Amino acid sequence: MKSYFTVLFLPLALNTFGQFNAGYDYYDETPVIHDLDTLINPWAGGLNNPQFSSIDVDLDGTMDVFIFERDGKRRLPFIRNENGEFEFEPSAIGNFPKMNWNYTLLRDYDEDGKSDIFTAGYNNYGIDVYRNISDTILKFEQAADDLMYKRESASALFFYAPINDLPAIYDFDGDGDLDILIQGQVDLTPYVLLYVKNLSQELYGTSDSLAYKLVNKCWGKVREYISETGWTPYACDTGAAYERGKRHGGTTLAAMDLNNDGLNDLITGDSYRGNLISLINIEDNEDAVVNLALSDTAFPSNSVPAEVPTLPAVYLEDMDLDGVKDMMVSPNQLNSQASFSIDTSINMEVDWYFRNAGTNSNPTFELEEKGFFSSEMIDVGSRAFPSLVDFNGDGLLDLMIGNEGYNVYGGTASASITAYVNVGSEGNPSFELYEKDVAGISSLGFHTAHPCLADIDDDGDVDLLVGDEEGNLHYFKNTGVASIYNFQLNQPMYENIDVGLGAHPTFFDLNIDGLQDLVIGDYYGRIHYYENIGTSTDPSYSQNATIEEMGGILNFNTYGGASVPYFTYNLDSLGTNLYLMQGTGKGQILIYGPITNIFGNFEAVDSIVVEATYTSIVGSDLFGDQRDELIIGQRTGGLYMLNKVNNITIGLAEHSSTKGKLEAFPNPSDGTFTIKRIDAENQLYTLNAYDVGGRKLFSESANASNGILETQINLSAYPDGLYFVSLEHQHHSDWIRLIKK
């Protein structure tokens, strides 16, 4: 088993892939098979709008790949293995700072051989730059916050890129520092290209500063326009009246010498088309002139032109380590995040790999593979709703995954359900792709298909209940034989139930009467409980919910709604307490319980934080260890698998980290620990000690002086085992784990 990290139950202030609680650990050893090939990264979570950059993630001297997934702001490091394949490395995610929505590009701005980070500032104003200061571990420090540039006889401006724009960060003048080409700002219409020069070499003789000045208000002497090419010649009168309606909402830029003339050219994408356009520069790197007659409007026309739905973006990286830059192409358009909407930018092959068979100054891009990363993952398009059930009657749990839909280029998005059959053994699951469109659901026009599988009519086989984006349910009866399902639509608008928007159903006997009750999460974060008032063979549910807001849960404002419920008894060390785990729009998986009264309010006792949004959750004892493994679906159409490695009673809720670092020594200890925090405020702090059940043992006060807090706590009176200490000041907490032995 390959296990990257373990976090017991408390979300400590650690830089990890996810702050897993309740004894969960990321797990990727369960095989997934497509067309007889075992996927390399099946549980990496899927891709919608990926951006690609090179970086040495594991510091072994070989360049790896970092993907910034715009949809959900996911940080995805991949390490190159000995076979040259890229393997997802979740343990490195927390080494990267949190990013904003717009873009993240890794470039070595200080010429030290390490990839630094350029990312959009808050609300897309300015650029945040993080310097790579790795030594024995990968780490960054902020070098610039909301970077601006100077103008002649005018105030400085923030670099501003609208939400779907992608600037070119490149050494345009060849002096070793990184310049920036970006779309024109609001006061410099009509949307020309601005060349912003880095003056680090000119001012300081080095490349390790970020001093920017606007030197060309109309690079290339072209502007974007609604035309065949998307670009038109322009006289560079930036004071001319802007023609409204002649500008689109997104532009992507990448720079490279495309024809071996020593001049920098551009590869551009446009929000009105799915193809790339090259702009050939014929004059100068700084004072450029683009000859549109030389443009390749179906780039690269020497091979298969790149075609991705809605606003393609280019990333020039050496993917095969042959010394020349290859080309990755993906859609940059970020559409609505509403759970009931269809994102028309989503394609099942969002990452096209073009190998460069030429040189860096005279490239020849040839299509190598569509879906270079995504084809090695479970990826069902937009959103993933997993369900576990034995649909072929062999005693092993199989996997079905619903979605919001995906778009085949030039086609129409429609939701569907994908089936994976478990071809492993008891305790050792292995999933193989079985069917891509269960029950032909894609033909029904649903914009969400959330599957719930159970023997609804108690006839010995599993039936299918599908929740849709409009808040309704649809019942598909299984008319097949025991080993081969055949789902037929039996009752649309099942029981006339309507929860408003985004129906996410599950069955569970909550009142312990031997009948399956119906529980439905909705778009607003509510959970609706429908008691089964029928029989096991003929279940019946009132049109009106027995409980409209079960547990008093309404998490729309705090957690983004999109409630997906999952009930389990296999969470704590006892195995008899009932818990609710709830997927949410913002990604956190909330844990409520123990639940003793289904008509009362539920207490949120913990959460699981993963690198995802719009999480959907299902679980079962896949490994035969009396513990629930979890499968987490998310907005980008893929899945994470979490393995429960400890049955520990949960209890402590999440806390935010302060900017300091909490240390303890010796640790383990026979009872006495020294607690130290550097970079502390000179204030009074409170130390709280907890056992593994979340029970507070005692509190003590401690003062910080000269930015350092150092004090001792004594656990000698308590049994050997695991403990936690929080250091609290105002609204912030640091946490550390202690082992007494």
Side-chain angles (χ1 to χ4, degrees), residues 479-685:
T479 62
V481 299
S483 60
I484 305 175
Y485 61 74
N486 183 22
F487 298 117
Q488 298 293 322
L489 183 59
N490 181 273
Q491 186 180 342
M493 307 295 293
Y494 182 65
E495 301 286 82
N496 292 316
I497 290 173
D498 185 351
V499 298
L501 287 173
H504 305 299
T506 187
F507 286 106
F508 200 88
D509 183 9
L510 282 172
N511 58 0
I512 319 178
D513 64 354
L515 302 176
Q516 298 183 105
D517 304 308
L518 181 58
V519 184
I520 309 171
D522 72 10
Y523 168 76
Y524 297 100
R526 299 171 299 194
I527 296 175
H528 308 264
Y529 168 59
Y530 295 82
E531 181 185 2
N532 188 347
I533 55 177
T535 65
S536 62
T537 59
D538 186 21
S540 179
Y541 307 93
S542 171
Q543 182 178 350
N544 298 314
T546 309
I547 307 174
E548 278 293 347
E549 293 183 8
M550 191 176 190
I553 297 171
L554 180 62
N555 64 25
F556 185 81
N557 291 329
T558 305
Y559 294 101
S563 175
V564 179
Y566 169 67
F567 290 92
T568 180
Y569 288 100
N570 295 333
L571 192 58
D572 64 20
S573 56
L574 299 176
T576 56
N577 291 321
L578 177 64
Y579 292 89
L580 165 65
M581 307 181 80
Q582 180 191 30
T584 66
K586 291 186 177 180
Q588 296 95 327
I589 297 164
L590 306 178
I591 302 174
Y592 300 85
I595 299 169
T596 58
N597 178 13
I598 63 173
F599 291 92
N601 288 334
F602 299 167
E603 180 184 3
V605 293
D606 227 322
S607 69
I608 299 172
V609 180
V610 293
E611 196 85 353
T613 56
Y614 288 99
T615 50
S616 178
I617 180 171
V618 70
S620 191
D621 183 9
L622 291 171
F623 300 159
D625 55 3
Q626 288 74 55
R627 300 168 175 173
D628 278 0
E629 284 69 48
L630 302 180
I631 295 178
I632 310 297
Q634 54 188 296
R635 166 84 180 158
T636 46
L639 305 177
Y640 295 139
M641 179 178 283
L642 309 184
N643 177 29
K644 197 169 193 300
V645 296
N646 290 284
N647 266 332
I648 298 175
T649 304
I650 65 174
L652 298 176
E654 272 191 68
H655 296 264
S656 61
S657 169
T658 58
K659 61 182 179 180
K661 182 178 180 181
L662 197 60
E663 304 173 340
F665 49 92
N667 189 18
S669 166
D670 61 358
T672 301
F673 299 81
T674 297
I675 306 297
K676 184 177 181 179
R677 182 183 184 273
I678 59 174
D679 195 20
E681 298 180 38
N682 295 329
Q683 302 284 342
L684 183 68
Y685 287 78

Side-chain angles (χ1 to χ4, degrees), residues 289-307:
V289 176
V290 167
N291 185 345
L292 291 175
L294 301 177
S295 294
D296 184 352
T297 59
F299 188 86
S301 57
N302 65 282
S303 180
V304 179
E307 271 191 342

Side-chain angles (χ1 to χ4, degrees), residues 1-13:
M1 167 183 170
K2 178 169 60 179
S3 181
Y4 295 104
F5 61 90
T6 300
V7 179
L8 293 176
F9 71 96
L10 181 67
L12 306 176

